[in-house]
Amino acid sequence: MNALESVSQRCPYCGERIELLIDTSEGAQTYVEDCQVCCQPMVISAWLTEEDDLNVTVFTENDAY
């Protein structure tokens, strides 16, 4: 698996498809990134399974906490 993985997700605010670059060398991570379309802050959670499959979930700030 490459250190940077590109994944396609939908923005939880505007619903548009966006591309995210995830640094898989960081392990499990949660961070905030603005949507490239509507500029709303999305909370992104990414982790690798035991089989090294990348899982990514995207939430609004209110849904994540």
Side-chain angles (χ1 to χ4, degrees):
M1 183 173 278
N2 296 329
L4 287 177
E5 292 288 325
S6 176
V7 295
S8 178
Q9 292 285 315
R10 288 202 179 270
C11 171
Y13 294 98
C14 68
E16 292 292 325
R17 280 228 170 261
I18 55 171
E19 291 295 319
L20 301 171
L21 280 178
I22 307 294
D23 184 356
T24 58
S25 68
E26 293 293 318
Q29 55 193 297
T30 300
Y31 62 95
V32 176
E33 183 173 324
D34 290 344
C35 172
Q36 300 138 356
V37 178
C38 70
C39 299
Q40 293 292 319
M42 307 174 297
V43 178
I44 300 164
S45 183
W47 68 96
L48 293 173
T49 65
E50 290 181 14
E51 296 80 25
D52 285 337
D53 294 326
L54 178 61
N55 285 316
V56 178
T57 56
V58 181
F59 303 95
T60 65
E61 281 188 311
N62 293 335
D63 290 340
Y65 300 105

